[in-house]
Structure formats: structure tokens, C-alpha cells
Amino acid sequence: MAHVRPDMDAVLPAAVGSVAALEPAITRDLAPPLAADPAAELMRQCQAGVAGAFDELMRRMHPRVASAIRGILRGSNDAEDITQQVFVKAYFGL
């Protein structure tokens, strides 16, 4: 700490300690709450019978699921049929 004036050597550790002690309170009071996983929330809504929840879940997840299946099948024409079967199984599983 060569760039700090000699009279500040005693102040800095106390100030840093004070800020460190306040950090949990600052984080708790100022940080926004963590958002729940939107897909998990949609699944809960599906289980509760909320109309349109599964449609929204499928709309959001279809591109990722279809892409994964196309990657596994190497672009097979069956990829879309299998993607549809995945969502049918998911629907009945929920």
C-alpha cells in the first residue's frame, strides 16, 4: 500500500472491514430475488391444469428439443415425428 498516505494505513483496514461486514445486508436488501426457472414454473402450471401452460412450455422448448433430436439422428426425416412423440410423452408424464 505504498500509494496510501501514512495516516490512512489505520483507516483503510477498518473501512474495508466495515464494508465487508455490511456486504450480506447490502446484498440482501439491494439484490433482486433470483427468478425461478420459467420452465419449472410452466410445468407446475401444467400439473395444476392451467389452460395454455403446456402450449407455452412446448412453444419455448420445441426449438431446443428438435435441435437435440436432429443432432442425434443426423438430420433424419423422422426427427420431427420423434420431437412430437417427446412432447406427447411429456404431456402425459406431467
Side-chain angles (χ1 to χ4, degrees), residues 17-91:
S18 298
V19 171
L22 291 174
E23 188 173 353
I26 292 169
T27 304
R28 181 190 68 236
D29 294 339
L30 298 179
L34 295 176
D37 180 15
E41 179 59 32
L42 282 170
M43 286 188 274
R44 281 191 285 280
Q45 290 177 5
C46 290
Q47 291 171 336
V50 174
F54 189 78
D55 291 337
E56 180 63 20
L57 180 66
M58 195 171 94
R59 186 188 66 76
R60 289 184 185 186
M61 299 304 293
H62 187 275
R64 294 172 75 185
V65 172
S67 177
I69 291 171
R70 279 192 306 272
I72 292 168
L73 297 179
R74 304 274 188 238
S76 169
N77 293 335
D78 296 329
E80 192 55 40
D81 291 337
I82 293 172
T83 301
Q84 184 176 1
Q85 289 176 7
V86 166
F87 284 105
V88 168
K89 286 187 182 246
Y91 179 81

